[in-house]
Amino acid sequence: MAQLILFLLLVLITCNTISIAYPTGAPISACQSMKPGHVGVYPQSKPAPYIMKINSSLYQPGKPIQVQIQGPPYRGILLQARTYSKPTLYGTWLEPPNNTKILACPENTLGSITHSNTNFKDQSTTYIWMPPDSSCPNVLFFVATVAEAFNIYWLGVRSAIIFKDPAVGCSNSVNTGQSVFLAVNSGTAWQPALIPVMCLQLVLFLLFGHFEP
Ligand SMILES: *[C@@H]1O[C@H](CO)[C@@H](O)[C@H](O)[C@H]1NC(C)=O
Ligand SMILES: *[C@@H]1O[C@H](CO)[C@@H](O)[C@H](O)[C@H]1NC(C)=O
């Protein structure tokens, strides 16, 4: 009996935790890790069915680059421009396409884009990125977490590399790089509203399954 109550309590706590939902976009806490943080839900280990398409392999200040994600329709997204072995988010996202929004990560408040609802986005969803004016790394790439559904997502979906156009200037002052402040916050999720319902059903099942005469 005591064990059952303990178990129910655990289920309730878990359900309550994962009910803190992010159907309206990735949270600030995902800025660095890019992990949705679904409780008990792990990224897919098989290769992502997504290809990130970009319209240029060179970048230069003032010239926007277009990014599209080809593959099955997806519901959740967190998209950033990065370079190797640095936590810096580069550049800024312009006008977010329908069903998406800017995620104001600390230090680069325009450097991430995420979903604003769980409607499907697809390969016609076009993200426009403006390169930085200074501290341009020699190479950049776009990287995304793409969620097809609450429990199906891929981390580290990457574009091809984009090189800094050697023909144009970009001041290389070191201090304007915008690094991400890391706040670890596990136990929260981007998720459709279904989960609380499932949790409630689980709790009811456990209660009534065990207490029924
Ligand atoms: C890529 O797309 C952007 C936005 O549509 C456009 O402004 C830019 O000129 C394009 N670049 C190339 C190299 O086609
Ligand atoms: C975005 O949504 C608006 C309003 O629903 C619609 O008029 C517009 O055509 C949509 N744009 C795209 C690119 O789908």
Side-chain angles (χ1 to χ4, degrees):
M1 189 59 186
Q3 268 179 330
L4 176 62
I5 289 170
L6 188 64
F7 182 59
L8 281 173
L9 208 60
L10 277 175
V11 170
L12 276 171
I13 289 167
T14 309
C15 288
N16 189 47
T17 309
I18 62 179
S19 295
I20 302 163
Y22 290 93
T24 57
I28 298 285
S29 59
C31 286
Q32 174 57 28
S33 69
M34 301 186 81
K35 287 182 186 157
H38 299 158
V39 170
V41 180
Y42 300 97
Q44 299 289 304
S45 52
K46 56 186 188 210
Y50 295 105
I51 291 174
M52 213 188 287
K53 201 181 146 208
I54 52 182
N55 74 340
S56 179
S57 53
L58 290 177
Y59 79 92
Q60 56 170 273
K63 261 194 98 179
I65 291 182
Q66 177 179 308
V67 182
Q68 288 163 322
I69 295 172
Q70 298 186 322
Y74 54 96
R75 294 181 187 277
I77 177 94
L78 177 59
L79 176 61
Q80 301 173 340
R82 295 195 179 213
T83 192
Y84 294 105
S85 44
K86 263 186 161 180
T88 307
L89 306 184
Y90 291 97
T92 57
W93 293 99
L94 304 185
E95 200 54 45
N98 285 354
N99 308 314
T100 72
K101 64 177 186 185
I102 301 288
L103 172 64
C105 288
E107 311 298 325
N108 184 354
T109 52
L110 296 171
S112 304
I113 205 157
T114 188
H115 56 283
S116 59
N117 58 41
T118 54
N119 295 352
F120 278 125
K121 293 85 187 160
D122 61 23
Q123 54 201 25
S124 71
T125 307
T126 303
Y127 306 94
I128 309 283
W129 177 81
M130 188 62 92
D133 293 326
S134 58
S135 296
C136 300
N138 289 328
V139 296
L140 278 175
F141 49 82
F142 296 102
V143 58
T145 299
V146 184
E148 201 178 320
F150 163 72
N151 58 345
I152 307 177
Y153 70 92
W154 284 266
L155 288 178
V157 175
R158 284 195 188 186
S159 71
I161 285 171
I162 317 168
F163 294 88
K164 177 170 76 177
D165 190 335
V168 297
C170 173
S171 86
N172 266 325
S173 60
V174 275
N175 285 326
T176 52
Q178 301 178 300
S179 45
V180 187
F181 176 73
L182 170 58
V184 176
N185 176 10
S186 58
T188 50
W190 311 343
Q191 60 167 34
L194 203 58
I195 299 304
V197 176
M198 281 163 55
C199 281
L200 185 63
Q201 281 176 346
L202 180 58
V203 170
L204 287 176
F205 169 76
L206 288 169
L207 274 173
F208 294 108
H210 287 270
F211 288 123
E212 228 162 33

